[in-house]
Amino acid sequence: GLRQSPQVELIGFERGRLDDAAAEALQQRAGDPAFVVENRLLLQGRAVVHDRLLLPALLFKGLSEKRLRERPGTLYRLYQDEFGITVLRAVERARAVAADRAAARVLGVAAGTPVLQVRRCALTFGDKPVEWRVSTIHTALHDYVQTLSRPA
């Protein structure tokens, strides 16, 4: 099929706190300060992914909505260039779920629509977790494709 990169829209940025799932994945404490980033990814003008990222505030001091919006490349490139954090690998878990109200609104589908949920923990050197991401993916018209490679 046609392979294309999605258009990314930053739809939310705020200071918040780690919830239980993010705290566990990031090896932090629930309630620790975090940046909460929300993106909508579009293919052929249609919303297909709602990403919600939680980033430990201590690792990303100085992160701002302006820096996110004006970054010249990917998020992982921003992490490396601006914060000295190199993402070496990520661990993902995928499952089918019903779209909650927030994801449904972002994706333009009815709440309860079947979607794919991918929970990803990005890791740097020493397998230290640096990002917790929950992606809700509407796969009615597009496949979720992840290319895996062996460590060098």
Side-chain angles (χ1 to χ4, degrees):
L2 178 65
R3 187 170 163 83
Q4 60 182 172
S5 295
Q7 174 191 347
V8 180
E9 291 180 347
L10 176 65
I11 60 171
F13 177 84
E14 63 185 16
R15 289 182 169 273
R17 301 268 172 201
L18 294 177
D19 59 26
D20 290 340
E24 182 178 346
L26 293 166
Q27 299 172 3
Q28 305 280 320
R29 285 194 293 279
D32 279 358
F35 292 105
V36 182
V37 178
E38 287 192 69
N39 289 321
R40 174 177 23 226
L41 283 65
L42 299 100
L43 288 172
Q44 299 167 327
R46 288 194 178 99
V48 292
V49 179
H50 173 229
D51 276 341
R52 185 170 186 270
L53 294 76
L54 284 106
L55 306 169
L58 288 175
L59 294 179
F60 293 93
K61 287 181 181 156
L63 182 62
S64 66
E65 183 173 348
K66 182 179 189 319
R67 286 170 96 173
L68 279 173
R69 284 196 190 283
E70 295 177 358
R71 72 182 188 271
T74 66
L75 274 174
Y76 289 174
R77 179 74 183 265
L78 175 78
Y79 297 171
Q80 185 162 21
D81 292 350
E82 301 278 332
F83 302 99
I85 295 171
T86 302
V87 173
L88 297 176
R89 68 187 189 98
V91 177
E92 291 188 344
R93 293 180 177 271
R95 63 183 174 182
V97 300
D100 63 20
R101 269 196 230 122
R105 187 177 64 252
V106 170
L107 295 173
V109 299
T113 297
V115 292
L116 181 66
Q117 182 186 74
V118 177
R119 295 176 299 158
R120 173 194 290 184
C121 187
L123 306 161
T124 189
F125 296 100
D127 273 349
K128 179 181 178 180
V130 296
E131 176 201 82
W132 175 244
R133 180 185 308 216
V134 178
S135 300
T136 304
I137 307 164
H138 188 227
T139 58
L141 298 174
H142 302 279
D143 292 337
Y144 174 70
V145 177
Q146 183 63 277
T147 303
L148 303 175
S149 60
R150 269 187 215 268

